[in-house]
Each structure stands twice: as structure tokens, then as C-alpha cells.
Amino acid sequence: MSVSEGVVKKIILSYTYVAIWIFLSFTVIVYNKYILDRKMYNWPFPISLTMIHMSFCSSLAYLLVRVFKLVEPVSMSRELYIKSIVPIGALYSLSLWFSNSAYIYLSVSFIQMLKALMPVAVYSIGVLFKKEGFKSETMANMVSISVGVAIAAYGEAKFDAWGVTLQLLAVSFEATRLVLIQILLNSKGISLNPITSLYYIAPCCLVFLSIPWMIMEYPALKETSSFHFDFVIFGTNSLCAFALNLAVFLLVGKTSALTMNVAGVVKDWLLIAFSWSVIKDTVTPINLIGYGLAFLGVAYYNHSKLQALKASEAQKKVQQADEEAGRLLQEREGETTGGKHDNQN
């Protein structure tokens, strides 16, 4: 009985983490939309919002790593920081800036549909940087995802070309960042969890974002001097953003990357339903047909990625077994030859 109880506990725990992650991810997206949208809270300053998040997150990450020592820092030389963390930080700040800006122009549901292009961008950039091999089958799948998103865009009721441009730029910067993490960090044996990555990358993002902020938003904010810092709104919003990073940290640690992908799909459909029913965004049948097609492509891509991962893990196990057997043989041979020497003496 105890075995099955343990398994049930594990399953319940995984589902709880997944539910928390979906809830937080959902909350951050809707909350950001609420703050930036001109028809809602009407505070259209995406760079400022991103900078508030980054300063809040880097302070908390600093506390967790340095003060409370709950998370181990990574050994990081200055050269490695400049060569690896800085470019990743630059891409991250661009991706956050543009994706937050898109909320001003596009509906939550349409943004989720455009985000389905993420695997297409990651794969294309991976091929470009020679991190992924070019396979015509995968490329055909990518084309089907793109066609699906194009249909969804065609069916979008409140299509805004500038908003779409911002969101697509955000997707491409984010995809480049993910590929660079593999090239610059993972290949060097450095893996950052969401807390250490905030600790190293968030301060860097702040510095990068302050440049466009000074030019684009600071003058406008100075003019609307009536703005007082709404601690409740921005505090809870930043707390949600940090909690989301913490949830990712827990989820990746306790469940698999596949779980994250599946959870992501559930979250996207929930967001579309929410923005249609609660925010009253228009979701057209063509939207759904296009997104459905893209969604199938993404699901298939995730499935084939998982199969490849399983195959490589199985291969590793076989290799390990072979090495183990080889070592045992060598030891035995060593013993027998040693025995022979003793006999000769």
C-alpha cells in the first residue's frame, strides 16, 4: 500500500506545482495587460513596468542567494559574465520590452496565438547557429505551425500591424536567447536555475533597459507628474512575476520539461477562453481554426523532441552499462595477471 501512496503523493504534488505555475503565468499575463492597456489601468509604459519587475526580482534573488544562502551561486568569472551573461541579458531585456509593449496593441488571446511561433523561431535560429541539424520533416512541421498562426492572424478581429511586429520581434529575441543559453552556458557546463539566472541576468537587464527608458519613457513620465507610485498594484504585480520564476524553478526541478510543455498548452487555451469570456476579446472561428492547426504542429514537435530525448537517454544508459562491464573486465584481468605474478614469485 505504501508504494502506491507514495506514487499518488508524487502525482498530486506534480499536479499542484503545475496548477500553481499555470495560475501564476496566467495572472502575470492578465495583470500586465491590465496595467498597460489604455482601456483598463491605462499606464502604457512597458519599459518602466519591465524595469520595476527586474529591480524587484534582482533584489529578491540577491537576498535568496547572498543573504539567506538558500540558493547556491554559480562560479562566474568576469570574462564569462561579459561574454555570456551580458548578451543573454541584452536579448532578455529586448524580449520583455517588446512582449510587454504588445499588450498595448493586441488582445491577450491573439498574443498567445502568436507565441505558438516560438518553436519555429527556436528551431530556425538553432539551425542558423548550427545547434540543430536541418531536417526537412521538422521544417515541414514548422511551416504548418506558421501557416496556422497566419490563418489565426488573418481571422483576428482587432489586427494591429505594429502590435504584431512587436510580438514577433519579442519571439525572435526570446528564441535567440534560448539558443544562446545552450551555446554560451550549457555547453560550458553552467546551468542557471530561475533564481540564479535572475541574480545574474536581472541587474544586467536593468542597465540595458535604462537606455531606451531615458529616451522614450522618462520624459513622458515626467510630464504626467500626477503619477504617484501605486505600491499595491506594482508591488503585487512584481510579486507575481517573481513567484512565477520561483514556480518555474520548482516545476522544472520536480517534473519534466515535457510537463512544462503540456502545462503551457493548457495555459494558452485557458487564456484564450478567459480573454474571450471575461475580458470580452473577440475570438473568431478563423482564429481558432488557425490556432488549432498551429497547436497540433507544436504538440507534434514537442512529441518528437521527447522521443529524441528518450532515445538519447536510453543510449547513454547502454553506454554506461558497457563502460561498467569494461571496467569490471579490466579489474578481473588485473586480478588474474596479479595472481599470475604472485605464482611466478
Side-chain angles (χ1 to χ4, degrees):
M1 185 60 197
S2 60
V3 178
S4 55
E5 260 182 22
V7 172
V8 169
K9 258 191 186 160
K10 239 187 176 164
I11 291 172
I12 291 174
L13 206 62
S14 312
Y15 275 114
T16 310
Y17 283 131
V18 170
I20 291 171
W21 178 77
I22 289 178
F23 172 74
L24 285 168
S25 183
F26 188 99
T27 309
V28 168
I29 289 172
V30 175
Y31 211 155
N32 287 354
K33 169 72 177 168
Y34 166 75
I35 289 176
L36 295 163
D37 195 298
R38 297 185 194 280
K39 288 198 241 11
M40 297 181 204
Y41 187 74
N42 189 18
W43 197 70
F45 299 105
I47 309 176
S48 310
L49 185 66
T50 312
M51 285 176 75
I52 292 169
H53 286 176
M54 285 294 133
S55 29
F56 187 84
C57 290
S58 54
S59 320
L60 274 187
Y62 181 84
L63 285 176
L64 287 177
V65 175
R66 285 276 174 243
V67 182
F68 299 116
K69 300 209 173 2
L70 291 171
V71 183
E72 274 294 299
V74 183
S75 54
M76 176 88 59
S77 63
R78 172 172 291 187
E79 184 195 12
L80 182 68
Y81 189 87
I82 291 167
K83 278 190 182 165
S84 306
I85 300 287
V86 170
I88 290 168
L91 287 164
Y92 194 37
S93 41
L94 286 167
S95 135
L96 287 170
W97 168 19
F98 289 147
S99 66
N100 279 338
S101 304
Y103 287 118
I104 300 173
Y105 305 98
L106 303 175
S107 69
V108 170
S109 51
F110 187 43
I111 286 177
Q112 292 319 110
M113 292 176 192
L114 290 173
K115 280 185 187 168
L117 286 171
M118 191 53 103
V120 181
V122 171
Y123 179 71
S124 314
I125 289 161
V127 170
L128 227 120
F129 282 109
K130 304 221 176 349
K131 200 71 198 143
E132 295 264 359
F134 179 85
K135 287 197 197 80
S136 42
E137 184 199 353
T138 314
M139 208 57 215
N141 185 11
M142 295 305 158
V143 171
S144 77
I145 296 174
S146 311
V147 169
V149 173
I151 293 171
Y154 174 75
E156 175 57 27
K158 298 194 182 85
F159 184 88
D160 182 294
W162 177 237
V164 171
T165 310
L166 286 171
Q167 188 54 48
L168 293 180
L169 281 169
V171 166
S172 34
F173 286 128
E174 182 59 14
T176 314
R177 179 181 84 93
L178 293 173
V179 175
L180 279 190
I181 285 178
Q182 285 182 332
I183 297 172
L184 298 175
L185 295 175
N186 300 358
S187 60
K188 295 194 178 88
I190 294 172
S191 62
L192 295 176
N193 63 49
I195 306 302
T196 45
S197 68
L198 279 179
Y199 173 73
Y200 290 110
I201 296 170
C204 186
C205 286
L206 262 178
V207 174
F208 279 116
L209 287 168
S210 60
I211 303 160
W213 181 75
M214 285 301 292
I215 302 163
M216 296 167 72
E217 291 187 4
Y218 177 65
L221 277 169
K222 221 167 53 174
E223 275 169 35
T224 55
S225 53
S226 59
F227 169 72
H228 60 285
F229 191 77
D230 192 332
F231 278 102
V232 177
I233 292 272
F234 294 103
T236 49
N237 179 255
S238 303
L239 199 59
C240 288
F242 183 76
L244 177 62
N245 278 290
L246 205 55
V248 173
F249 174 45
L250 291 173
L251 194 58
V252 174
K254 302 281 186 292
T255 56
S256 66
L258 175 78
T259 313
M260 283 285 287
N261 278 327
V262 176
V265 168
V266 175
K267 180 204 73 182
D268 289 345
W269 283 106
L270 280 174
L271 270 165
I272 292 172
F274 179 85
S275 86
W276 169 74
S277 60
V278 181
I279 308 177
K280 297 281 183 281
D281 283 333
T282 319
V283 178
T284 64
I286 300 177
N287 263 160
L288 290 177
I289 292 166
Y291 184 64
L293 183 66
F295 159 71
L296 287 175
V298 173
Y300 180 73
Y301 173 72
N302 285 339
H303 172 74
S304 44
K305 273 287 240 207
L306 185 76
Q307 295 310 96
L309 196 71
K310 273 186 181 164
S312 74
E313 276 182 2
Q315 210 175 355
K316 264 189 204 156
K317 274 186 184 154
V318 171
Q319 269 180 335
Q320 278 174 337
D322 285 351
E323 281 169 16
E324 190 66 33
R327 243 204 323 277
L328 281 172
L329 262 173
Q330 270 181 332
E331 279 174 17
R332 278 206 193 124
E333 276 175 10
E335 278 168 20
T336 49
T337 48
K340 276 182 194 161
H341 282 303
D342 289 344
N343 292 347
Q344 282 166 358
N345 292 342

